[in-house]
Amino acid sequence: MKNNKLIKQFRVVAILEGFSWIALLITMILKYKFEIIWPNKIVGMIHGIFFLLFCAYIFLFLIKEKWPIRTGLVLFIAAFLPFGTFWAAKKYLK
């Protein structure tokens, strides 16, 4: 990896995306079980921003650092799995 600063930024975004995914699950329970809607709207927007940033970093590294497509696909799929971005940060973003 040539650009350590970008990797560190990507790692932070991956971890934040993971925490926002967990927060989204909590707010989904609040929304559907207790009919408290507003936390879900706020956390949903924040999670969406982190998800888009995570995907943008994947694309950036595929183009700029010439990562293999397989690595990009693994990282993209990890964003949809519980704790997947934590695993991705540990395995791919050191």
Side-chain angles (χ1 to χ4, degrees), residues 1-3 6-7 60-68:
M1 309 262 167
K2 300 175 195 171
N3 202 333
L6 275 178
I7 284 288
L60 176 73
F61 276 89
L62 285 172
I63 301 301
K64 188 173 183 180
E65 299 292 327
K66 308 232 186 302
W67 277 8

Side-chain angles (χ1 to χ4, degrees), residues 28-36:
M28 293 290 276
I29 293 168
L30 292 174
K31 179 179 178 180
Y32 291 108
K33 186 164 179 125
F34 301 107
E35 297 181 11
I36 304 171

